[in-house]
């Protein structure tokens, strides 16, 4: 029997719509045929069982985060303790230690949250995932006389990332100068590895409050751990609903029936098009709130799937290039290319049926009757019709389009989206036969920075870098 509660839950489930990648819509040259999909379903079905087995064996600990009540309890307790006395929360982190925080804040709090006290349900949130001194300097000038009402959440799994470490060292000195040693204990929360690493050592030494980056969970899969949950809870996001949404999707993406599993279908479609020359994957939300989830996805997809070697050690150099675009803004920037440039892209729209706020368009001025078609319409109707119009135009040019449909953007549906794309990434990794959980190529850049900054033990690397850093005047114009 379908109960009222089931209906409500089903309505709040996000859905993946894939008809507009099929041959039925865009023809056999560019569209996937049902025979091709059936063949891919047969190839993928054993992978669904394999992923479920790996998960049971504890090999993909990110899958358990939505069920970790101990962590969500700790996060809520700490947020409750700090929130009343905190006007400004400052996240210091980069990559997987920042993008999820930014995405949750943009998705689940109002656009004017930081500026309008009436719209704020917690401290203002600032996330520094860069080390531009002009940017951080300007912020520190502003926050310098507000430190007693400011909490810094330094997030680094390793603690040795130069960007986060340097930000932390600047802030630490500022707090020591202005508030003394208790300033560190009262105004810093360190989110890091439970046992090891530089930040854990510092936190233990200084007696800082700590939260944990769970072991075995890479930065880009960590948004549903304390990494993403703490700033969200501080800023009034319903993290229980977020985790419940992720659990809802976790059930759907574990389903062994390929045609009912949105992550398996999403991964297969991406894999199919990659192998047919569509190596660019564009995510295009038609919702400002979802804009930074596209940024979060960009890192997840790029770092997880861009790999030189497959699992057998063969040189493969695979990986779709993820691109973020925003509807309608990028219709006026990118769509000319998307329609008439190379047919090398798969599009994923994010569509929202009901917005938290809507606006009626006013009447047309008498002198401009040509605008009367807009008068009285809801702005959301215009936005969603622009999405349909762009999709139609792309389909006319035989470009494959997926859509993830949200009934509305809330913590429950955003939790689903996060889980959907994380598990899609695991499926895509399995289809490409690569390890989606490591990022060996990021290391060399980190180590070269150490060498250039004079870290002991990196002298040989510094020598190797020298010819590149010396400017050759013959090539300077
Ligand atoms: O996804 C990842 O693993 C990376 O983006 C890391 O999150 C990023 O490099 C920051 O590392 P750390 O948290 O160790 O400072």
């Amino acid at each position: 029997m379908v109960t009222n509660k089931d209906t409500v839950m089903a309505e709040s489930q996000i859905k993946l719509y894939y008809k507009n990648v099929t041959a039925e819509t865009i023809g056999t040259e560019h569209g996937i045929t049902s025979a091709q999909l059936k063949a891919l379903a047969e190839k993928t079905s054993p992978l669904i069982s394999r992923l479920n087995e790996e998960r049971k064996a504890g090999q993909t600990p990110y899958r358990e985060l939505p069920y970790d009540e101990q962590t969500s309890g700790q996060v809520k307790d700490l947020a409750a303790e700090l929130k009343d006395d905190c006007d400004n929360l400052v996240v210091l982190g980069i990559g997987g230690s920042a993008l999820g925080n930014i995405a949750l804040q943009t998705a689940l709090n109002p656009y004017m949250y930081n500026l309008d006290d009436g719209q704020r349900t917690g401290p203002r949130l600032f996330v520094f995932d860069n080390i531009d001194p002009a940017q951080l300097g300007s912020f520190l000038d502003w926050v310098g006389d507000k430190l007693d009402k400011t909490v810094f959440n330094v997030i680094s799994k390793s603690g040795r990332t130069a960007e986060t470490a340097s930000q932390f060292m600047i802030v630490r000195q500022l707090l020591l100068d202005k508030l003394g040693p208790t300033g560190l204990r009262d105004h810093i929360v360190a989110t890091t590895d439970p046992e090891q690493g530089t930040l854990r050592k510092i936190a233990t030494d200084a007696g800082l409050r700590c939260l944990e980056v769970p072991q075995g969970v890479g930065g880009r899969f960590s948004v549903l751990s304390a990494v993403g949950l703490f700033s969200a809870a501080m800023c009034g996001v319903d993290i229980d609903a977020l985790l419940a949404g992720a659990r809802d999707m976790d059930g759907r993406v574990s389903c062994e029936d390929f045609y009912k599993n949105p992550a398996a279908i999403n991964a297969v479609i991406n894999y199919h098009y990659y192998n047919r020359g569509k190596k660019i994957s564009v995510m295009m939300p038609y919702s400002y709130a979802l804009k930074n989830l596209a940024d979060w996805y960009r890192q997840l997809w790029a770092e997880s799937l861009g790999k030189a070697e497959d699992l057998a050690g063969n040189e493969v150099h695979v990986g779709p290039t993820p691109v973020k675009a925003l509807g309608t803004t990028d219709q006026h920037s990118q769509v000319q290319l998307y329609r008439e440039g190379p047919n090398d892209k798969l599009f994923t729209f994010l569509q929202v049926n009901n917005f938290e706020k809507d606006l009626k368009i006013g009447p047309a001025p008498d002198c401009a009757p040509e605008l009367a078609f807009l008068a009285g319409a809801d702005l959301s109707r215009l936005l969603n019709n622009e999405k349909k119009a762009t999709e139609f135009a792309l389909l006319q040019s035989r470009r494959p389009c997926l859509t993830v449909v949200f009934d509305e953007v809330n913590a429950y549906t955003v939790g689903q989206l996060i889980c959907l794309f994380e598990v899609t990434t695991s499926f895509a990794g399995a289809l490409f036969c690569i390890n989606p959980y490591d990022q060996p190529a990021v290391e060399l850049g980190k180590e070269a920075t150490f060498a250039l900054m004079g870290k002991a033990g990196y002298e040989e690397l510094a020598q190797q870098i020298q010819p590149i850093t010396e400017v050759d005047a013959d090539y300077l114009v």
Side-chain angles (χ1 to χ4, degrees):
M1 191 181 83
V2 178
T3 65
N4 197 23
K5 190 170 161 241
D6 290 336
T7 315
V8 172
M9 293 294 275
E11 275 175 5
S12 55
Q13 281 186 336
I14 64 170
K15 301 280 181 195
L16 178 72
Y17 183 65
Y18 65 97
K19 183 175 179 186
N20 290 340
V21 300
T22 63
E24 205 183 319
T25 308
I26 54 171
T28 45
E29 190 188 344
H30 292 286
I32 188 167
T33 63
S34 31
Q36 285 168 329
L37 192 60
K38 190 162 173 273
L40 283 162
E42 275 158 24
K43 178 178 164 119
T44 310
S45 289
L47 296 182
I48 303 179
S49 316
R50 193 182 101 194
L51 253 58
N52 286 344
E53 288 305 315
E54 284 174 1
R55 186 248 182 93
K56 265 192 223 142
Q59 289 168 16
T60 44
Y62 83 86
R63 298 282 300 266
E64 307 312 324
L65 296 177
Y67 301 89
D68 183 354
E69 289 177 10
Q70 196 189 336
T71 296
S72 58
Q74 264 169 10
V75 163
K76 283 187 282 184
D77 288 348
L78 187 56
E81 185 188 329
L82 297 176
K83 202 171 162 169
D84 287 347
D85 229 15
C86 177
D87 283 343
N88 307 299
L89 176 63
V90 188
V91 170
L92 308 176
I94 198 163
S97 294
L99 288 163
N101 305 66
I102 299 169
L104 291 180
Q105 176 72 1
T106 314
L108 299 172
N109 272 324
Y111 179 67
M112 294 301 281
Y113 176 93
N114 266 9
L115 293 180
D116 180 0
D117 289 349
Q119 295 188 47
R120 253 191 321 120
T121 44
R124 298 178 196 92
L125 179 66
F126 303 91
V127 182
F128 286 93
D129 63 346
N130 203 314
I131 44 165
D132 183 317
Q135 183 203 21
L136 187 60
S138 165
F139 176 73
L140 294 179
D141 287 347
W142 176 82
V143 87
D145 61 358
K146 303 170 188 70
L147 290 176
D148 56 326
K149 292 273 189 188
T150 300
V151 171
F152 293 88
N153 179 205
V154 52
I155 307 176
S156 180
K157 186 177 170 68
S158 62
R160 64 175 214 144
T161 305
E163 292 91 334
T164 310
S166 59
Q167 291 169 334
F168 169 72
M169 286 152 77
I170 291 168
V171 164
R172 173 181 173 274
Q173 195 57 50
L174 186 70
L175 288 169
L176 281 172
D177 289 348
K178 296 224 174 173
L179 305 175
T182 56
L184 299 187
R185 287 193 286 279
D186 293 344
H187 296 275
I188 295 180
V189 173
T191 306
T192 190
D193 188 277
E195 286 165 14
Q196 53 194 8
T198 307
L199 185 54
R200 172 58 59 181
K201 188 171 62 176
I202 296 168
T204 307
D205 189 55
L208 303 180
R209 288 185 174 88
C210 283
L211 291 166
E212 293 181 0
V213 183
Q215 278 173 334
V217 177
R220 58 193 177 274
F221 289 91
S222 71
V223 57
L224 298 179
S225 75
V227 170
L229 294 181
F230 177 64
S231 65
M234 286 286 280
C235 297
V237 168
D238 181 350
I239 64 168
D240 290 327
L242 184 76
L243 296 172
R247 291 195 296 273
D248 175 323
M249 182 56 74
D250 186 49
R252 295 169 65 197
V253 297
S254 305
C255 177
E256 307 241 343
D257 178 347
F258 171 82
Y259 288 98
K260 290 193 176 139
N261 187 320
I265 292 183
N266 194 18
V268 151
I269 289 169
N270 275 275
Y271 175 73
H272 171 82
Y273 280 110
Y274 179 86
N275 289 328
R276 274 159 186 74
K278 299 190 197 328
K279 296 192 188 294
I280 299 172
S281 158
V282 179
M283 181 177 276
M284 191 163 183
Y286 272 73
S287 150
Y288 187 86
L290 299 178
K291 176 181 183 231
N292 290 322
L293 272 159
D295 226 6
W296 166 84
Y297 148 82
R298 205 163 61 101
Q299 186 214 12
L300 179 70
W301 207 236
E303 274 196 1
S304 302
L305 302 180
K307 297 290 152 72
E309 287 184 1
D310 68 11
L311 291 169
N314 303 308
E315 209 173 313
V316 286
H317 296 287
V318 292
T321 300
V323 168
K324 124 179 148 171
L326 178 66
T328 63
T329 308
D330 287 316
Q331 285 175 211
H332 304 271
S333 155
Q334 301 295 300
V335 167
Q336 172 63 32
L337 169 75
Y338 291 170
R339 281 199 68 204
E340 292 192 0
N343 194 342
D344 58 357
K345 300 170 192 69
L346 168 65
F347 295 90
T348 302
F349 295 110
L350 305 184
Q351 175 191 319
V352 177
N353 291 337
N354 298 294
F355 286 77
E356 204 194 335
K357 283 187 193 305
D358 211 342
L359 297 171
K360 280 249 180 281
I361 303 173
D366 289 343
C367 65
E370 65 271 33
L371 295 181
F373 74 102
L374 293 171
D378 289 336
L379 204 54
S380 65
R381 194 177 140 237
L382 175 61
L383 179 59
N384 278 336
N385 277 333
E386 296 232 20
K387 181 263 174 183
K388 285 182 200 155
T390 302
E391 187 174 20
F392 167 75
L394 289 168
L395 295 174
Q396 289 297 103
S397 303
R398 308 272 177 253
R399 316 283 150 142
C401 297
L402 290 165
T403 298
V404 179
V405 184
F406 287 67
D407 196 46
E408 58 183 51
V409 175
N410 56 41
Y412 191 74
T413 53
V414 167
Q416 291 173 56
L417 185 84
I418 288 169
C419 178
L420 171 63
F421 275 92
E422 285 180 344
V423 180
T424 296
T425 305
S426 291
F427 275 118
L431 287 161
F432 282 115
C433 294
I434 50 98
N435 176 4
Y437 307 114
D438 65 0
Q439 58 286 325
V442 182
E443 282 312 301
L444 183 59
K446 286 190 177 185
E447 286 173 11
T449 303
F450 297 159
L452 288 166
M453 293 299 286
K455 185 170 177 174
Y458 291 84
E459 295 79 6
E460 211 181 301
L461 186 55
Q463 291 284 320
Q464 283 177 37
I465 298 169
Q466 205 186 2
I468 291 166
T469 54
E470 266 173 17
V471 175
D472 185 337
D474 290 347
Y475 293 83
L476 204 57
V477 289

